[in-house]
C-alpha cells in the first residue's frame, strides 16, 4: 500500500464560527440588495399629478333628523377608506340598512377609486344616494386645486 493517507483535523469551534460568519454575510448582502435597489413608485412623475391632498376628510349628512358624519381617508393617489364617524346606536336601530349600504359602497369605491357607476339595491336606493353625495362632498374637499 503505497497510498499516502492524509488525516485532516478540523475543530468544531472553527466550523461553527465559519458557518455563522457565512450566514451573516448572506443576510447582509440580501439586506443591501433590498435596501438599495431602485424603487419603481417612489415619486409620481410629471405625467402623474397627485389627485388628492393626503388626509382624512369628513362630510355630514342628515337622515331623519339625525346628523351622520362620513369620513374619507385618501393618500395622494387613491381613496384608502370610507366609513362613518361615531355612528350612534340609535341610528343603526332606526335605519338597520345604513351600515350594510355603507360597507357595500365603500368596497365599490375603493375597488373603482371613483363614486361613479356604483350599484346598489332598490331597498337602499335613497340611503345610498345620500351616502354617495356625502362621500362626494368629502372627496371634493380632498381634491388638488390647480
Amino acid at each position: 500500500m503505497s497510498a499516502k493517507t492524509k488525516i485532516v483535523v478540523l475543530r468544531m469551534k472553527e466550523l461553527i464560527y465559519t458557518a455563522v460568519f457565512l450566514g451573516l454575510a448572506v443576510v447582509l448582502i440580501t439586506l443591501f440588495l433590498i435596501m438599495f435597489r431602485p424603487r419603481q413608485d417612489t415619486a409620481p412623475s410629471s405625467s402623474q399629478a397627485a389627485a388628492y391632498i393626503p388626509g382624512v376628510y369628513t362630510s355630514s349628512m342628515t337622515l331623519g333628523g339625525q346628523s351622520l358624519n362620513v369620513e374619507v381617508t385618501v393618500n395622494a393617489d387613491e381613496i384608502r377608506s370610507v366609513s362613518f364617524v361615531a355612528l350612534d346606536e340609535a341610528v343603526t336601530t332606526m335605519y338597520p340598512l345604513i351600515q350594510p349600504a355603507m360597507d357595500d359602497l365603500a368596497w365599490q369605491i375603493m375597488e373603482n377609486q371613483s363614486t361613479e357607476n356604483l350599484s346598489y339595491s332598490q331597498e337602499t336606493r335613497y340611503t345610498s344616494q345620500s351616502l354617495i353625495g356625502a362621500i362626494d362632498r368629502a372627496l371634493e374637499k380632498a381634491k388638488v386645486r390647480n
Side-chain angles (χ1 to χ4, degrees):
M1 292 202 176
S2 64
K4 295 186 179 181
T5 306
K6 293 184 180 180
I7 298 176
V8 178
V9 177
L10 297 174
R11 294 185 178 164
M12 187 58 87
K13 192 177 191 182
E14 292 173 356
L15 286 176
I16 292 173
Y17 284 153
T18 303
V20 167
F21 285 127
L22 283 175
L24 286 175
V26 168
V27 168
L28 187 64
I29 289 170
T30 305
L31 182 66
F32 279 139
L33 289 175
I34 291 172
M35 286 178 54
F36 295 115
R37 72 170 184 224
R39 301 210 188 260
Q40 296 173 354
D41 58 343
T42 54
S45 64
S46 60
S47 64
Q48 287 183 334
Y52 302 110
I53 301 170
V56 178
Y57 298 90
T58 59
S59 176
S60 63
M61 62 179 273
T62 304
L63 186 64
Q66 296 280 342
S67 179
L68 302 173
N69 290 324
V70 176
E71 178 181 88
V72 178
T73 305
V74 296
N75 64 13
D77 301 325
E78 64 183 354
I79 302 168
R80 303 292 295 176
S81 70
V82 178
S83 62
F84 285 117
V85 177
L87 184 61
D88 190 15
E89 190 174 317
V91 173
T92 57
T93 303
M94 293 293 292
Y95 305 99
L97 296 178
I98 191 141
Q99 187 63 49
M102 175 59 102
D103 293 340
D104 182 47
L105 289 175
W107 180 81
Q108 290 182 55
I109 289 169
M110 288 186 291
E111 190 74 22
N112 300 333
Q113 293 299 310
S114 172
T115 57
E116 298 190 15
N117 300 325
L118 299 177
S119 63
Y120 43 83
S121 69
Q122 288 291 61
E123 296 174 323
T124 62
R125 173 178 56 205
Y126 299 115
T127 303
S128 296
Q129 290 172 351
S130 297
L131 289 171
I132 291 170
I135 294 167
D136 279 335
R137 287 190 299 275
L139 286 174
E140 189 63 33
K141 294 176 187 177
K143 285 190 179 175
V144 174
R145 309 278 192 272
N146 289 335

